[in-house]
Amino acid sequence: MRSLTAKFMVGITGLVLAVLFIALSLDFAYQQRQADIDLLAKASLVAKQQQATRSFISRSSHDEFVHGETRPLDPAEVGEGVSDLFADLSKSQVKQTNLVPRIEENAPDDFERAALEYFMASAENNEVWQRVTLEDGTPAFRYMMALRAEESCLKCHGEPKGELDPTGYPKEGLKLGDVAGAISVILPMRETLANARAESVRLAILVVFLALLCFGLIWLILWRQVSMPLAELAEVATTVGMGNFLISKERLRSLKANHETAVVADAFEQMSDRLRELYTGLEHKVAERTRELEEANRELERISRYKSEFLTMISHELRTPLTSIIAFTELLLADRRLEPEQRESLSEVLESSQKLLNMITNLLDFSRIEAGKVKLFREMLDLRDPVRDVARTVQPLAERKGIALAVRCAPDLPLVSADPLRISQVLLNLLSNAVKFTPEGGRIDVDCGVDGDWVKVTVRDTGPGVPREEQEVIFQAFRQGGVRRPEGWGLGLALSASLVQAHGGRIWVDSEPGAGAAFTFTLPIWSEQGSGGNDEHEETNTGSR
């Protein structure tokens, strides 16, 4: 990006060059016109001198002795002689010409013939001039002046036409004022044009020198009065932008030397003062808000710790009596003396107790995950084993609702490094949810396969599906979808997602309302570097269904 000075100098340069070009063009045209005027004056003077000589000869010549004979001098012959002498003494040419010349050398050329016809057309046409190029390529100025018949001319050129005059030539029958001929002057212009060009070149050199001098002065003024103050302002703005809002008076003193930059300098000074005040106030507010946030965070951590401890305590306290209830219920159900109504009631008690125990177990595990106390006992695991085991566990529940349960696992499924108990817990949550949400007569498919460096397990059901806007919500703790759900605390998917993530995998759902849901999780394939061990993980909650 060009600077302001460069743009201004380019504009000034273009303007000045345009003005110089116009001025030099006008000067060259003026030089040409002046050359024409000078040449016209010179040619006119030469023609008038020639005319004066001719008139003098005509008026004073009566009975001079010529070549042993007594006869008057012929002005045409005298003019020709004077022209020859003039051509010898200068580079110019002078000739007396006529449409019907008495001397062959005075015969007119095309230019002279046209000029003579022009003179004959009107008594007011007495001069003609034009720039021409001679046959040898020399530029020349041609001038012709009409010779009108005077009283002294009529005795040799007047009437009667055809009668011999005293010099022995037939008379032309001219009357007073008729065109008796013309004086043709040819002045070479090479020297004149060279002088004009030299004068134009000298003027151009002078103008260019003055223009360069002006450019230098303009650039110096712009640099001192515009560029330097703008550079200083930019430096001040950069300093302010870096957070240094204190601008010294000495730094702005040079900017206040001119009225225009002083206005900007005052504005910068006021801006820096205001920014300093705002920044100081902002720092105090940020520090205050930071303290408040730290206190709130500590309070949240304390509350979260209390919650986790409370959930752990409640879970432990509830599991003990529930375990006893389940044990005594199973013991009573083993008695064959029970009536059918008693057995049915005890079965409901046992089923409800087992559900409650499962919910408490999930709550205890989730509280341990929040507290960062989950331990993974990894080993080389063939996922087909826990998949089949969990499928056999939920098979009775599926058969009770008339749901078809199918398991399809690749025979060459790679091993994974995982905790069998935790993976079985994930599979149990997913299959239990599938059974709960699939209507009677539906279908559940469990697929195991390989996807790159991962082993992928998908549990697909034919239930009501999960709306797109709820597919992230269901992976949050204590959250369920907006549609009616079976009983539960909404911890199953949250716990499953946390356990899968603890193994380095990921879990997601693909579903459309009314088209069922497909819950998929992945685990990394076992390798020597990532094998086995007991891992402790602190997990964040990522949802539930």
Side-chain angles (χ1 to χ4, degrees):
M1 184 180 295
R2 293 185 297 180
S3 63
L4 180 62
T5 302
K7 293 180 180 179
F8 188 80
M9 289 300 297
V10 169
I12 290 293
T13 302
L15 180 61
V16 171
L17 289 178
V19 172
L20 288 178
F21 178 77
I22 295 174
L24 291 176
S25 299
L26 294 176
D27 177 73
F28 183 77
Y30 170 77
Q31 293 288 345
Q32 298 297 316
R33 288 194 303 271
Q34 191 63 37
D36 288 345
I37 293 174
D38 292 343
L39 290 171
L40 178 62
K42 183 177 179 181
S44 177
L45 179 61
V46 171
K48 289 178 180 179
Q49 289 177 343
Q50 186 76 2
Q51 182 183 16
T53 302
R54 178 185 175 90
S55 298
F56 175 77
I57 295 298
S58 175
R59 293 173 185 175
S60 60
S61 176
H62 295 290
D63 295 323
E64 285 81 357
F65 179 79
V66 179
H67 302 294
E69 299 181 0
T70 301
R71 69 178 181 88
L73 292 174
D74 184 10
E77 295 177 348
V78 174
E80 182 184 4
V82 172
S83 298
D84 294 339
L85 293 174
F86 185 78
D88 294 338
L89 296 175
S90 67
K91 298 178 181 179
S92 303
Q93 299 178 18
V94 181
K95 180 175 75 171
Q96 293 181 177
T97 185
N98 197 342
L99 292 177
V100 185
R102 292 186 174 183
I103 302 176
E104 188 65 26
E105 288 79 3
N106 290 343
D109 57 19
D110 294 338
F111 175 77
E112 293 168 341
R113 184 178 300 279
L116 288 170
E117 293 175 352
Y118 172 74
F119 295 152
M120 292 178 179
S122 174
E124 297 178 355
N125 300 337
N126 294 309
E127 283 183 322
V128 171
W129 64 87
Q130 183 181 352
R131 284 192 180 194
V132 297
T133 301
L134 302 180
E135 294 180 356
D136 59 356
T138 302
F141 183 85
R142 297 203 64 174
Y143 173 82
M144 288 191 66
M145 185 181 70
L147 293 176
R148 301 285 177 178
E150 299 176 352
E151 188 68 35
S152 59
C153 300
L154 296 179
K155 64 179 181 180
C156 294
H157 302 281
E159 295 179 343
K161 183 178 181 180
E163 180 180 304
L164 296 178
D165 66 358
T167 62
Y169 293 99
K171 293 182 178 181
E172 289 84 356
L174 299 178
K175 297 180 181 179
L176 189 63
D178 288 345
V179 176
I183 298 178
S184 176
V185 180
I186 301 177
L187 299 179
M189 293 185 62
R190 191 185 301 278
E191 184 177 350
T192 302
L193 294 178
N195 293 336
R197 282 194 294 270
E199 185 64 25
S200 298
V201 170
R202 285 193 296 269
L203 179 61
I205 293 174
L206 177 62
V207 170
V208 170
F209 173 76
L210 293 177
L212 292 176
L213 181 61
C214 291
F215 290 156
L217 293 176
I218 292 173
W219 181 86
L220 181 62
I221 294 172
L222 286 175
W223 181 70
R224 293 293 300 272
Q225 301 299 324
V226 178
S227 298
M228 286 184 61
L230 288 179
E232 293 178 5
L233 285 175
E235 186 177 353
V236 171
T238 302
T239 303
V240 173
M242 295 176 64
N244 185 11
F245 303 121
L246 183 60
I247 303 177
S248 61
K249 302 292 183 181
E250 292 75 12
R251 193 169 187 179
L252 296 176
R253 183 175 301 168
S254 60
L255 296 176
K256 295 184 177 182
N258 298 323
H259 173 72
E260 290 78 6
T261 55
V263 175
V264 181
D266 292 338
F268 262 97
E269 191 172 9
Q270 295 174 7
M271 180 186 69
S272 64
D273 294 340
R274 181 59 179 163
L275 287 175
R276 186 167 62 253
E277 295 175 0
L278 293 175
Y279 185 74
T280 303
L282 183 61
E283 283 185 333
H284 291 312
K285 290 181 180 179
V286 169
E288 183 179 354
R289 297 295 183 272
T290 302
R291 286 193 300 271
E292 293 177 356
L293 288 174
E294 289 176 350
E295 293 176 0
N297 190 39
R298 286 193 293 269
E299 182 66 17
L300 288 174
E301 290 178 354
R302 185 176 62 84
I303 294 173
S304 178
R305 187 174 64 254
Y306 288 163
K307 183 193 71 172
S308 299
E309 293 175 356
F310 174 76
L311 292 175
T312 302
M313 181 185 66
I314 291 298
S315 300
H316 278 292
E317 294 299 328
L318 291 177
R319 287 184 68 180
T320 301
L322 274 176
T323 303
S324 300
I325 292 172
I326 292 172
F328 281 111
T329 303
E330 290 176 346
L331 182 61
L332 290 174
L333 286 173
D335 190 352
R336 298 180 179 180
R337 296 173 297 175
L338 293 175
E339 298 292 334
E341 293 83 1
Q342 294 174 333
R343 186 174 297 277
E344 183 179 356
S345 299
L346 288 174
S347 297
E348 291 179 358
V349 170
L350 179 61
E351 183 179 353
S352 299
S353 299
Q354 289 175 341
K355 288 181 180 180
L356 183 57
L357 180 60
N358 184 50
M359 292 169 59
I360 292 173
T361 301
N362 286 341
L363 182 61
L364 180 61
D365 289 339
F366 184 75
S367 63
R368 286 175 178 173
I369 289 176
E370 281 197 326
K373 297 179 180 179
V374 175
K375 289 186 178 181
L376 299 180
F377 297 92
R378 295 177 182 268
E379 61 183 54
M380 285 190 300
L381 178 64
D382 186 348
L383 271 180
R384 293 176 295 182
D385 296 335
V387 168
R388 294 191 187 101
D389 293 341
V390 174
R392 283 194 295 266
T393 301
V394 300
Q395 183 70 41
L397 299 175
E399 291 177 351
R400 188 180 304 174
K401 297 179 64 176
I403 298 173
L405 177 60
V407 176
R408 293 186 295 272
C409 291
D412 55 347
L413 193 69
L415 300 177
V416 296
S417 176
D419 186 333
L421 179 61
R422 296 302 184 183
I423 296 303
S424 296
Q425 190 175 359
V426 172
L427 289 168
L428 182 60
N429 284 333
L430 295 179
L431 282 171
S432 298
N433 280 343
V435 172
K436 287 189 292 186
F437 288 105
T438 302
E440 295 182 0
R443 181 179 181 83
I444 298 174
D445 294 303
V446 181
D447 297 317
C448 307
V450 180
D451 185 8
D453 295 332
W454 306 86
V455 173
K456 182 172 67 174
V457 179
T458 301
V459 178
R460 184 176 291 102
D461 61 48
T462 57
V466 182
R468 187 175 300 276
E469 63 274 8
E470 297 178 4
Q471 291 180 9
E472 294 297 330
V473 174
I474 61 174
F475 287 102
Q476 298 177 6
F478 303 105
R479 297 291 296 274
Q480 294 183 339
V483 299
R484 184 178 65 84
R485 300 291 183 184
E487 69 282 353
W489 287 352
L491 287 176
L493 287 180
L495 183 60
S496 300
S498 298
L499 291 175
V500 169
Q501 292 174 2
H503 284 81
R506 55 186 292 262
I507 187 170
W508 68 92
V509 60
D510 295 315
S511 176
E512 292 292 339
F519 285 85
T520 304
F521 70 90
T522 58
L523 294 174
I525 296 176
W526 179 86
S527 63
E528 291 290 344
Q529 291 79 8
S531 63
N534 299 341
D535 300 333
E536 234 179 80
H537 291 272
E538 181 175 350
E539 297 298 327
T540 58
N541 1 335
T542 56
S544 100
R545 181 181 180 189

